[in-house]
Structures are given as structure tokens and as C-alpha cells.
Amino acid sequence: GQSGRWQICAEVAEFFLKCKAELQSRFPDFKIGFPAISAGAEGVVQLGRERAFRADDQAFLEQAVAAVEAADFLCLNATYRNDAELDEAIAHLKAMRQQQHYKLLFITQFNNQQSGGSPQAKGEQALRFYEACRQVPGVGAAFYYAISGPGLDDVALRMENGRLTPILTALTR
């Protein structure tokens, strides 16, 4: 999917299983997680400055069930633009915990990706998400997107000039 989109979710599963087998043949102690799953319906989504196709998350999991079962852990993404979508992201995390109760979960990316808006509110939302992760058993870690980067001052924790953003200040209060 990196240079285009997967035609069907089963292709992702097949690719994952091949890669996992190859890596574990060389590194038997490696733990390998299933790539990040984002909540939502099928369609085209805006990811920062990029547009991408996404499959419905439940259909994706159903079609990739062999890979999900073979994975040592599962990765999730959680993006939102407002408090209502944050509530949905938290609900999705809890639903995935119920559905995949036997797998360790890692939140490999979360944040409010809305351009503009209150940095204070974004920090408070990030804090709410972190707190929700702490309350859900089996969450190994949650990683905020992004620390810094060109053109990401609206969503990052640190500006390109090295100054901390109000998002980080609100997140760490």
C-alpha cells in the first residue's frame, strides 16, 4: 500500500504474514505488530497534507483475520478534530479492547489534526486521550503525533524553532 492502495484487505494480510515469517526466521525473538488500524468507514481521508484511501476498519479486520491472529500485538491510530470525534476515538479504543481482548494494543499515533483551532483545547484533548488509555487494560503505549516537523506547528508539541507549543503545556499540566 505504500506506493498505491491495496486492492483488497486480504492483500495486506498476505503481505504482513510473509514479512512476519521472514523477519522471525532471522530474528526469532522479535515481536511484530499488525499495522495501525484507524476507526471509520471506507473512503478517501485527509492525513495532514496527504490524501489516502481507507477501508472500513471492521471489514479490514475481518478480511485480514489471519494476520491479526498471527500478530504479537495490534497498532491503532486515533485522530479527531473536535471533542465529539475525540469521544468516538476513545469509544473505538474501548471497542477494540473488547474485540481484541487477548492482544496488547499500541496507539501508534493520536492527535487533533485540525488546522488552526485552540492549542490549549488540543492539549486538553490529548490529555483526555492519554487518560483514557491509562484506564483501558492492555494498552502498551500511546504515542502523540507529532513532536515537530515542517508545517506542523498547529498540531505538534514543539515548533520548528524549538519552542514548546501550548499543546504540550496543556498536555503536561
Side-chain angles (χ1 to χ4, degrees):
Q2 190 170 9
S3 61
R5 78 175 212 211
W6 299 102
Q7 296 303 305
I8 55 173
C9 302
E11 290 178 2
V12 175
E14 182 181 329
F15 179 76
F16 175 82
L17 290 169
K18 279 169 74 175
C19 290
K20 184 176 190 295
E22 178 65 25
L23 285 168
Q24 286 189 320
S25 73
R26 294 179 186 192
F27 309 101
D29 295 332
F30 266 27
K31 300 295 181 200
I32 300 171
F34 192 74
I37 301 160
S38 299
E42 184 174 301
V44 176
V45 293
Q46 191 72 34
L47 302 171
R49 290 174 257 145
E50 303 289 324
R51 291 175 56 87
F53 174 80
R54 60 158 289 117
D56 173 82
D57 63 309
Q58 291 305 306
F60 186 90
L61 287 170
E62 289 168 15
Q63 292 179 32
V65 70
V68 171
E69 289 176 359
D72 297 306
F73 57 89
L74 299 178
C75 300
L76 306 176
N77 285 345
T79 57
Y80 44 86
R81 294 172 293 184
N82 52 50
D83 287 333
E85 289 183 6
L86 171 60
D87 291 339
E88 291 172 15
I90 292 170
H92 183 255
L93 167 64
K94 291 176 179 178
M96 287 298 294
R97 172 76 285 150
Q98 290 292 325
Q99 183 181 358
Q100 305 292 333
H101 58 88
Y102 56 95
K103 294 283 184 187
L104 185 62
L105 302 177
F106 286 91
I107 314 306
T108 51
Q109 172 184 319
F110 80 92
N111 79 322
N112 179 326
Q113 293 197 343
Q114 183 72 24
S115 229
S118 163
Q120 177 75 23
K122 289 180 180 183
E124 290 168 2
Q125 289 169 339
L127 183 59
R128 274 186 58 211
F129 191 81
Y130 264 135
E131 288 172 347
C133 289
R134 290 180 52 195
Q135 300 302 313
V136 176
V139 174
F143 301 95
Y144 184 86
Y145 172 89
I147 302 302
S148 66
L152 296 176
D153 287 354
D154 277 357
V155 297
L157 301 178
R158 180 179 72 83
M159 294 182 205
E160 276 297 286
N161 65 12
R163 290 189 11 239
L164 302 181
T165 68
I167 296 171
L168 182 61
T169 304
L171 179 59
T172 58
R173 56 179 177 108

